[in-house]
């Protein structure tokens, strides 16, 4: 199997930053996590807006898009800069600043996204007729057979918050 980089490039990367491969792998992992979280949050927002027009612009779904987008832009750029500059380090202030910004926006997004998520409305079917029909009023209003969209959105929110937390 042929290596991706030439021997000279690998030597120069190793000379300038002995941990370049760890940094590159972590930046690629963060990019994949951010991409997955972005897709899940965007899908949750679209489904919420489609099924519940009064909940239009549900901030608990779009608020986490900011730290995800920053990570989605920042990590690939620093990955390519790492390879382009052959491992010469980028100033640590940039890394700390961007990671602090991602966490400063991400922690409140997770807290409020979980605190105000649609999955808190989930409930089991409480009342059912003998013939199997589930009345979608009163006690059963928020059950899955009556409100399937909140269950889809809730699952997407849980998965997206997990990805954001790993980011």
């Amino acid at each position: 199997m042929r290596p991706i980089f030439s021997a000279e490039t690998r030597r120069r990367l190793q000379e300038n930053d002995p941990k370049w491969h760890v940094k590159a792998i972590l930046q690629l992992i963060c990019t994949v996590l951010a991409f997955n979280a972005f897709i899940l949050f965007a899908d949750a927002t679209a489904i919420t807006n489609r099924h519940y027009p009064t909940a239009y612009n549900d901030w608990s779904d779009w608020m986490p898009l900011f730290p995800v987008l920053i990570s989605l832009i920042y990590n690939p750029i620093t990955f390519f800069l790492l390879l382009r500059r052959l491992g010469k380090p980028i100033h640590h202030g940039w890394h700390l600043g961007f990671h602090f910004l991602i966490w400063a926006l991400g922690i409140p997004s997770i807290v409020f996204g979980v605190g105000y998520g649609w999955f808190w409305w989930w409930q089991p079917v409480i009342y059912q007729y003998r013939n199997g029909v589930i009345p979608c009023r009163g006690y059963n209003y928020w059950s899955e057979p009556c409100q399937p969209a909140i269950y889809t959105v809730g699952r997407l929110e849980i998965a997206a918050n997990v990805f954001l937390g790993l980011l």
Side-chain angles (χ1 to χ4, degrees), residues 43-53 55 58 61 118 153 157:
D43 195 24
T45 303
I47 292 171
T48 301
N49 293 341
R50 189 176 330 118
H51 290 282
Y52 303 101
D58 183 20
D61 289 337
W118 280 101
V153 171
E157 287 175 340

Side-chain angles (χ1 to χ4, degrees), residues 96-166:
L96 291 175
F98 272 100
H99 287 292
F100 177 75
L101 181 64
I102 290 168
W103 277 101
L105 293 172
I107 290 172
S109 296
I110 291 171
V111 169
F112 290 118
V114 169
Y116 293 97
W118 280 101
F119 49 87
W120 291 111
W121 294 93
W122 293 355
Q123 73 177 34
V125 174
I126 296 173
Y127 181 74
Q128 184 174 357
Y129 294 131
R130 288 188 181 145
N131 63 359
V133 174
I134 298 171
C136 290
R137 64 187 186 306
Y139 295 115
N140 292 332
Y141 185 75
W142 294 109
S143 64
E144 188 168 8
C146 298
Q147 299 289 336
I150 67 165
Y151 287 79
T152 302
V153 171
R155 289 181 191 106
L156 290 171
E157 287 175 340
I158 290 169
N161 280 311
V162 167
F163 280 114
L164 179 58
L166 292 173

Side-chain angles (χ1 to χ4, degrees), residues 5-67:
F5 302 117
S6 68
E8 176 64 22
T9 303
R10 283 188 309 232
R11 184 188 62 76
R12 290 184 64 194
L13 280 167
Q14 191 68 25
E15 283 176 1
N16 290 328
D17 190 358
K19 297 179 183 177
W20 71 271
H21 55 284
V22 174
K23 291 178 181 178
I25 289 170
L26 288 175
Q27 287 168 343
L28 289 176
I29 289 171
C30 284
T31 302
V32 170
L33 291 173
F35 184 73
N36 287 334
F38 178 77
I39 295 298
L40 291 168
F41 278 123
D43 195 24
T45 303
I47 292 171
T48 301
N49 293 341
R50 189 176 330 118
H51 290 282
Y52 303 101
T54 57
Y56 193 72
N57 288 332
D58 183 20
W59 61 269
S60 66
D61 289 337
W62 61 259
M63 182 179 159
L65 288 175
F66 294 118

